[in-house]
Amino acid sequence: MLTNLNLTDMETCYKLCKTQIIRNIDLKEKRFGFEPELTAKLARVPGIRIYEVGISYYGRTYQDGKKIGWKDGIHAIYCILKYNLFG
């Protein structure tokens, strides 16, 4: 909503971009804040088009090594607001 993009899931860890575009973006976040930061900053680059392509994956359980928790969700929401509303 804040990027004016129609994406169903930005938190997939799969992104494909031209190297020249990525090198010109100053990325700060680590862990789960990376996805909202990159999406917000790419949405502001003039002249590029962002496409969503379907992927298939098999989600992991916590026993399999899944590391995301509710605090990561809160941080992702913070990053969505931070990078879309304040730069």
Side-chain angles (χ1 to χ4, degrees):
M1 181 173 71
L2 296 174
T3 60
N4 201 28
L5 297 172
N6 187 16
L7 300 175
T8 58
D9 189 1
M10 74 172 167
E11 301 278 354
T12 61
C13 298
Y14 290 104
K15 302 283 188 271
L16 179 66
C17 297
K18 290 184 177 182
T19 305
Q20 180 183 13
I21 294 170
I22 293 295
R23 285 188 178 152
N24 291 323
I25 296 176
D26 183 28
L27 297 170
K28 307 241 185 262
E29 293 292 326
K30 298 178 182 348
R31 294 188 43 93
F32 298 102
F34 173 78
E35 301 277 349
E37 177 189 12
L38 180 61
T39 303
K41 290 180 177 181
L42 284 174
R44 288 194 299 264
V45 175
I48 66 167
R49 299 184 81 187
I50 297 175
Y51 295 95
E52 183 174 64
V53 178
I55 62 168
S56 57
Y57 74 100
Y58 300 98
R60 296 180 297 167
T61 65
Y62 288 103
Q63 291 78 22
D64 293 333
K66 185 175 184 173
K67 295 173 179 50
I68 192 168
W70 67 270
K71 290 179 184 177
D72 297 307
I74 299 295
H75 186 69
I77 292 169
Y78 165 76
C79 289
I80 289 169
L81 296 173
K82 175 182 176 182
Y83 294 109
N84 284 288
L85 298 178
F86 306 112

